[in-house]
């Protein structure tokens, strides 16, 4: 290195060292824009752009050098655009070598030199036309002395057509005529038409083209005049005319090799190539398209392995002479880097080695530059050294930041790389902060402490609070502290861990948290189940996981290794225990099941459970009729799937229906399974049969198979049997009825089927009488005109068709119809003391039971009875002595020796027969009624005349069930039930019994309440448990005793504060107030109270008056308070539920009442006054007296009617309200009403669903407000008040009976 270079290098290093010392941040420049055009041809007077782009921090600035001299780019000819050099209006003097430089405060980079040269092409030196006269068949070459051209071009030959309108035409190359690589045109042998005379007076022209200039020049014309001489057509052996001996190719390029031979005929050229080791080379191709031989070959993308000897061989088939030539191919290459050269970003105190090794043929020369200043081995001392292609730095400092250029070159080209060396000096920081981790105990966990800093930081690990260095046999610190690894983790390893990095510039740390969780596991609950289809299947999945990860636990079920989609498998679901439940199992559910559990940290898989679902088999298929005869058919089939349970039998079903509609199939033969399935089935003549087959296993029978494809048609024959069930019927005395069971169509055996019915009086000498019955479905025939009832006949029924009759059947004995008994029972009487509300016992004398008097078979007696006032409405009770007459088996008919007892119309009775009396009883009598009764004699079909009639009266009876028992209100500590009278009147109701108990589980005994008021049909049950079901039973009571019990289930509500009551009206007088309210401010109520209190806060703001709500049987929601002093009162209603510690109360909104001060009432919902002015209290007193008088009159009437005992309470109650219960425009409620002649015996059973309502009764008031009853007693049991006043909501009338306070 000369002294000027050394001085420049020193200044450059000092300059950039001072800058680098001031800051370690930033980046030296790096040239990015590259081009493969290091030699650029340009056209004069055009613009040329030379590329140069660089990165760096700060952004680099640019300058250019031409032939190592700095260019002035501030003028108009040379300008820069973002680093690119633009040369405008190029001129001849722009030729030269251009180089780009980029610099910033951290260094200088430069690009590879680009050679710029103007494109040029010279003209041919001479325009003389050369004439050549070769002999036909001889070899000929035409040279071309091409002028200078840049870039270099290869000439070619053409000719100018005679017409000036045609362009220059090329001479096409072929095996006979071709150019060599110098531009000489060769003819392997001359043809006559090579003169081009057939085109015109044409010369061969040498042409040189310059693509950069877009122009060409031509010259060196040749006129070819072939001569025909003796021997012109004689064959000539091949001879090499042109080729190369040593060829150099550049690696990665394409190379052409050519051998030109002369000869006649034109020689065929083939090629053979071997590499330096004698290995055959096959990578070359002949340049002529589609040919396998030719004078020229091509090698593409040449590599060193293509070096070798390429031999061309020419052969003329007529001379059998060969000629060959060998070309030696050597492969060289332009320089290329041995490895990718990368920028080096290093930390202070690092050692750096920059390797700039390059390869090429010949071996490249390496040149080094630092910030564009050339350096050599003598340029470095101390920490830096240069040796060949390696530049080394020891313990770099920030002053070493620079741009290093490495240039490798040989004769084929050069490559340049700008290598940025950037030295960092900074305190430690984290490139990525370590992350908290959750792992499963027993696994390995790693924490990465990825830091940066210059010099490289020292890393230490600490744990816990207070901090302590990480230590232990399971803790490993790796990669110079960069990684902490904990193996076989334990729960106790859960802790905080700190990574601390430090160097001479500072210290930094990061803390992470490790959470170690217990592993997920599934208990080994392997299940192997075999179930029937539709059974529910439960396969457990007993999963345990760390309690901290339980919310993240996800369980999925697999069947045969595939996840179960519960959206499509709707009959499967996973229950709350994560067990798999199959609600209605199917055969397709058969398989292996397992559950997978994961919480995001780990997972577990259960042991495999197997499930086999058995079901009835699939239907057989391919049912085929193998043979069809008159009485048998042979059927075959193929079994379907057994559905996991072995088939035990097959059943063949047949149908012989003639109709084309729905057919009925009947079971035929049964077959055990085998390898071939077939069997014979019995069939009937004159039938058309189709067949089904079913399969049966231990689970059940399959569906019918598809019907057999063919039909089995059997021929006609006479019937082979007669009808069965031949018998008679005892209808009337003048008829003989013969019956039989019709024969099915498949037993007719032919057309024209009919029955032959024969009969004759038993013991008569007359012949048989026969009748034909053509209707095959007819099952009886009646023969009229019989003179004697119950006569004996012998009969038979025979089957026949057009082909003949069935065998003669056996004869049967039957009787003709019975007459009406003529005998009458005598001395029919009532057993004394046997009558109650529904039953009585009777006795009478026995009768003569002979056929003559009974006119048939004696069965027994019939007691008939009716209300004396309604003789057309009768009931009866049969007293049967003998079994029914066996008409079809006369020889077996033996009268029973003993009397029998029979239940009739679902009522039990008793009868006793002795030698002089017959006893009988009934339990179907009407209570409280005048009864008439008689007895009749019975035969099989008829009853005789009435005996003597007796009369008696029944007392009252026990009542039936109450009707319409419902729960009308539910609270959390009470239930209210209501009911109506029994539907059937059995006597006056004197009261009711109410019983209630917990439904389940049964706790203690039932509670009992007795109601002695027959008008009370409502009861509030209090002090109940919340959310509990109770069975409530109500029983009506008459003087005859308890009736049937009716029950209803009611459930209390959840425990909560009762709804707030709603005061709807307050009316006042001078010393009293009448308060009306609704149970709840919500409609319908959600949780009504059980008890209600009316509370007054007095004028002195201290006295509170409480009034309990009225009696159980009251529907009222009002209370009247008297004895109030003059003044202002605050009034509200309190609802209460429960007792003791569970007691809950809610108050209504309060009203303001002014007693004695114009009796004003102020509602809470408005600012206006609701004022009631009573001009005179006298009118009010008169009105109360009138009401009291009316109530007294009604009370007296009721007492008088009740003492007569002939008035049902509901009827009187309806009359009291001027509402007749049988009014045509009203719908009755099913209560008892009088008939036209006896008001106690009639009843009304109108629709209970009618929309019409009766007028209000004593229990109707405020019913729409869902009444609530309250206790009559305060907490210490003392009586507080009683309210009997009844009114509609909103009424201002106080009750006639008041409670004073």
């Amino acid at each position: 290195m000369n002294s000027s270079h050394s001085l420049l290098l020193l200044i450059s290093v000092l300059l950039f060292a001072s800058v680098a010392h001031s800051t370690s941040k930033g980046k030296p420049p790096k040239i990015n824009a590259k081009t493969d055009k290091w030699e650029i041809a340009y056209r004069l007077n055009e613009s040329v752009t030379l590329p140069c782009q660089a990165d760096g921090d700060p952004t680099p600035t640019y300058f250019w050098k031409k032939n190592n001299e700095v260019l002035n780019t501030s003028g108009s000819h040379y300008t820069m655009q973002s680093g690119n050099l633009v040369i405008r209006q190029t001129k001849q003097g722009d030729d030269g070598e251009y180089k780009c430089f980029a610099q910033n405060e951290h260094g200088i980079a430069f690009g590879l030199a680009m050679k710029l040269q103007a494109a040029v092409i010279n003209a041919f030196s001479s325009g003389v036309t050369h004439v050549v006269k070769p002999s036909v068949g001889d070899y000929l070459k035409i040279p071309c002395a091409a002028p200078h051209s840049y870039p270099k071009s290869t000439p070619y030959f053409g000719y100018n057509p005679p017409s000036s309108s045609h362009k220059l035409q090329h001479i096409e190359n072929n095996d006979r005529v071709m150019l060599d690589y110098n531009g000489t045109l060769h003819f392997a042998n001359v043809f006559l038409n090579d003169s081009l005379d057939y085109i015109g007076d044409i010369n061969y022209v040498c042409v040189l083209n310059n693509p950069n200039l877009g122009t060409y020049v031509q010259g060196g014309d040749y006129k070819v005049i072939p001569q025909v001489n003796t021997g012109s057509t004689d064959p000539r052996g091949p001879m090499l005319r042109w080729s190369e001996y040593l060829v150099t190719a550049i690696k990665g390029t394409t190379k052409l090799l050519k051998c030109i031979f002369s000869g006649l005929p034109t020689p065929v050229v083939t090629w053979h190539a071997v590499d330096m080791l004698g290995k055959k080379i096959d990578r070359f191709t002949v340049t002529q398209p589609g040919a396998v031989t030719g004078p020229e070959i091509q090698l593409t993308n040449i590599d060193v392995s293509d070096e070798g000897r390429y031999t061309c061989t020419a052969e003329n088939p007529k001379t059998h002479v060969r000629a060959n030539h060998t070309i030696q191919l050597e492969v060289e290459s332009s320089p290329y880097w041995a490895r990718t050269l990368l920028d080096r970003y290093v930390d202070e105190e690092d050692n750096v080695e920059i390797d700039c090794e390059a390869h090429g043929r010949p071996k490249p020369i390496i040149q080094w530059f630092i910030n564009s200043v050339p350096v050599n081995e003598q340029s470095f001392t101390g920490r830096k050294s240069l040796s060949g292609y390696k530049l080394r730095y020891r313990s770099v400092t920030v002053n070493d930041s620079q741009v290093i250029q490495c240039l490798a070159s040989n004769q084929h080209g050069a490559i340049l790389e700008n290598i940025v060396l950037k030295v960092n000096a900074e305190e430690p920081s984290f490139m990525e902060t370590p992350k908290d981790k959750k792992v499963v105990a027993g696994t390995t966990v790693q924490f990465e402490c990825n830091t940066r800093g210059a010099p490289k930081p020292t890393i230490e690990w600490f744990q816990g609070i207070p901090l302590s260095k990480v230590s232990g046999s399971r803790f490993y610190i790796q990669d110079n502290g960069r990684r902490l690894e904990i193996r076989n983790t334990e729960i106790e390893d859960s802790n905080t861990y700190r990574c601390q990095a430090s160097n001479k510039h500072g210290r930094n740390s990061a803390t992470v948290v490790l959470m170690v969780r217990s592993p997920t596991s599934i208990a080994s609950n392997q299940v192997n189940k075999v179930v029937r289809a539709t059974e529910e299947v439960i396969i457990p999945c007993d999963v345990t996981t760390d309690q901290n990860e339980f919310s993240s636990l996800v369980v999925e079920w697999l069947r045969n290794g595939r996840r179960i989609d519960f959206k499509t498998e709707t009959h499967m679901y996973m229950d709350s225990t994560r067990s798999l439940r199959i609600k209605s199992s199917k055969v397709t559910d058969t398989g292996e099941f397992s559950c997978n559990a994961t919480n995001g940290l780990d997972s577990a898989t259960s042991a495999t459970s197997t499930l086999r679902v058995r079901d009835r088999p699939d239907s057989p298929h391919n049912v085929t009729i193998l043979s069809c005869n008159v009485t048998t058919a042979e059927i075959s089939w193929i079994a379907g799937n057994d559905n996991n349970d072995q088939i035990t039998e097959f059943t063949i079903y047949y149908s012989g229906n003639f109709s084309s509609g729905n057919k009925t199939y009947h079971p035929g033969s049964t077959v055990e399974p085998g390898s071939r399935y077939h069997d014979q089935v019995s069939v009937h003549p004159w039938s058309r049969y189709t067949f089904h087959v079913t399969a049966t296993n231990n689970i059940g029978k399959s569906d019918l198979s598809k019907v057999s494809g063919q039909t089995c048609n059997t021929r006609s024959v006479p019937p082979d049997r007669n009808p069965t069930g031949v018998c008679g019927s005892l209808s009337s005395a003048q008829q003989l009825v013969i019956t039989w069971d019709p024969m099915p169509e498949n037993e007719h055996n032919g057309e024209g089927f009919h029955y032959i019915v024969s009969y004759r009086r038993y013991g008569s000498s007359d012949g048989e009488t026969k009748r034909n019955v053509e209707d095959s479905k007819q099952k009886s025939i009646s023969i009229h005109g019989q003179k004697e009832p119950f006569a004996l006949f012998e009969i038979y029924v025979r089957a026949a068709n057009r082909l003949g009759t069935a065998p003669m059947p056996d004869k049967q004995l039957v009787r003709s119809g019975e007459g009406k008994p003529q005998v009458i029972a005598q001395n029919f009487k009532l057993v004394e003391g046997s009558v109650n509300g529904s039953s009585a016992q009777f006795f009478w004398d026995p009768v003569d039971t002979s056929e003559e008097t009974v006119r048939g078979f004696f069965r027994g007696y019939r007691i008939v009875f009716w209300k004396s006032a309604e003789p057309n409405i009768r009931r009866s009770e049969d007293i049967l002595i003998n079994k029914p007459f066996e008409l079809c088996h006369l020889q077996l008919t033996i009268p029973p020796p003993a009397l029998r007892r029979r239940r009739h119309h679902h009522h039990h009775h008793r009868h006793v027969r002795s030698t002089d009396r017959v006893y009988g009883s009934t339990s179907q009598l009407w209570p409280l009624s005048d009864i008439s009764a008689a007895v009749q004699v019975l035969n099989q079909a008829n009853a005789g005349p009435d005996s003597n009639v007796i009369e008696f009266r029944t007392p009252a009876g026990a009542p039936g069930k109450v009707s319409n028992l419902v729960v009308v209100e539910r609270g959390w500590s009470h239930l209210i039930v209501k009911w109506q009278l029994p539907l059937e009147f059995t006597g006056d109701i004197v009261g009711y019994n109410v019983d209630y108990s917990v439904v389940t589980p049964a706790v203690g005994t039932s509670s009992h309440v007795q109601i002695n008021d027959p008008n009370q049909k409502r009861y509030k049950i209090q002090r109940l448990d919340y959310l509990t079901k109770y069975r409530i039973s109500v029983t009506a009571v008459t003087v005859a005793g308890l009736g049937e019990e009716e029950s209803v289930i009611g459930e209390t509500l959840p425990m909560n504060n009762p709804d707030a009551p709603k005061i709807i009206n307050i009316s006042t007088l001078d010393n009293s107030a009448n308060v009306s309210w609704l149970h709840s401010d919500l409609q319908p109520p959600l949780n009504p109270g059980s008890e209600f209190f009316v509370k007054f806060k007095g004028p002195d703001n201290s006295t509170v008056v409480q009034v309990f709500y009225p009696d159980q049987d009251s529907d009222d929601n009002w209370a009247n308070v008297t004895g109030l002093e003059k003044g202002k009162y605050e009034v509200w209603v309190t609802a209460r539920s429960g007792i003791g510690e569970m007691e809950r109360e809610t108050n209504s909104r309060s009203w303001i009442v002014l007693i004695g001060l114009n009796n004003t009432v102020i509602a809470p919902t408005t600012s206006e006054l609701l004022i009631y002015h009573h001009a005179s209290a006298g009118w009010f007193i008169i009105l109360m007296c009138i009401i009291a008088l009316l109530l007294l009159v009604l009370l007296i009437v009721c007492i008088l009617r009740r003492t007569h005992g002939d008035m049902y309470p509901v009827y009187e109650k309806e009359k009291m309200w001027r509402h007749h219960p049988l009014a045509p425009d009203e719908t009755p409620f099913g209560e008892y009403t009088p008939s036209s002649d006896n008001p106690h015996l009639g009843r009304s059973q109108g629709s209970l669903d009618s929309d019409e309502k009766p007028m209000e009764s004593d229990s109707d008031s405020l019913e729409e407000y869902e009444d609530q009853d309250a206790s009559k007693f305060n907490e210490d049991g003392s009586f507080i008040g009683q309210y009997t006043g009844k009114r509609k909501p909103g009424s201002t009338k106080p009750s006639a009976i008041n409670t004073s306070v």
Side-chain angles (χ1 to χ4, degrees), residues 698-856:
N698 293 321
I699 306 302
K701 182 177 292 185
S702 72
D703 294 333
L704 289 172
S705 68
K706 290 185 178 180
V707 69
S708 55
Q710 316 101 321
T711 58
C712 173
N713 300 318
T714 57
R715 61 185 176 85
S716 300
V717 296
D720 52 14
R721 77 169 184 87
N722 293 298
T724 58
V726 178
C727 191
S729 174
L730 301 178
S731 55
S732 69
Q734 285 75 38
Q735 289 186 22
L736 169 63
V737 179
I738 301 173
T739 63
W740 63 90
D741 297 331
M743 292 175 60
E745 192 176 15
N746 60 2
E747 294 184 357
H748 294 179
N749 292 3
E751 296 181 346
F753 180 84
H754 59 279
Y755 302 105
I756 301 173
V757 180
S758 173
Y759 62 93
R760 182 177 65 181
R761 180 71 180 267
Y762 184 65
S764 171
S765 60
D766 297 337
E768 297 177 348
T769 300
K770 296 182 179 179
R771 292 191 182 182
N772 285 351
V773 178
E774 303 296 337
D775 185 357
S776 63
K777 296 181 180 179
Q778 186 172 328
K779 56 184 177 181
S780 66
I781 185 173
S782 297
I783 302 162
H784 300 274
Q786 303 303 315
K787 299 178 180 179
E788 183 180 347
F790 210 54
L792 193 61
F793 287 82
E794 59 179 10
I795 64 170
Y796 67 81
V797 181
R798 192 175 188 182
N801 63 20
R802 291 180 182 176
L803 297 181
T805 59
M808 177 60 70
D810 294 332
K811 296 180 179 180
Q812 303 287 332
L813 293 180
V814 298
R815 295 272 189 175
S816 61
E818 292 180 306
K820 188 173 183 180
Q822 296 178 343
V823 62
I824 300 175
Q826 303 296 321
N827 296 321
F828 178 65
K829 296 181 181 181
L830 181 69
V831 175
E832 188 175 353
S834 66
V835 179
N836 60 28
S838 60
S839 64
Q841 190 174 18
F842 309 90
F843 66 90
W844 60 92
D845 295 338
V847 299
D848 178 8
T849 61
S850 65
E851 294 180 3
E852 291 76 13
T853 60
V854 178
R855 303 189 73 195

Side-chain angles (χ1 to χ4, degrees), residues 67-94:
N67 299 329
N68 287 325
E69 296 293 334
V70 176
L71 271 179
N72 180 10
T73 58
S74 60
S76 61
H77 186 62
Y78 294 109
T79 60
M80 275 198 300
Q81 295 179 353
S82 301
N84 299 328
L85 177 64
V86 179
I87 307 175
R88 304 182 188 278
Q89 295 296 314
T90 54
K91 53 190 178 182
Q92 197 69 45
D94 290 331

Side-chain angles (χ1 to χ4, degrees), residues 468-496:
S468 61
K469 274 199 171 185
V470 170
S471 62
S473 59
R474 295 181 295 103
F475 294 80
Y476 295 85
I477 298 176
Q478 303 169 339
D479 196 8
N480 294 323
R482 183 172 169 271
R483 182 183 302 109
L484 171 62
E485 181 177 280
I486 307 174
R487 300 176 184 174
N488 194 21
T489 53
E490 299 176 355
I491 301 296
E492 292 74 16
D493 295 334
S494 298
N495 209 336
T496 58

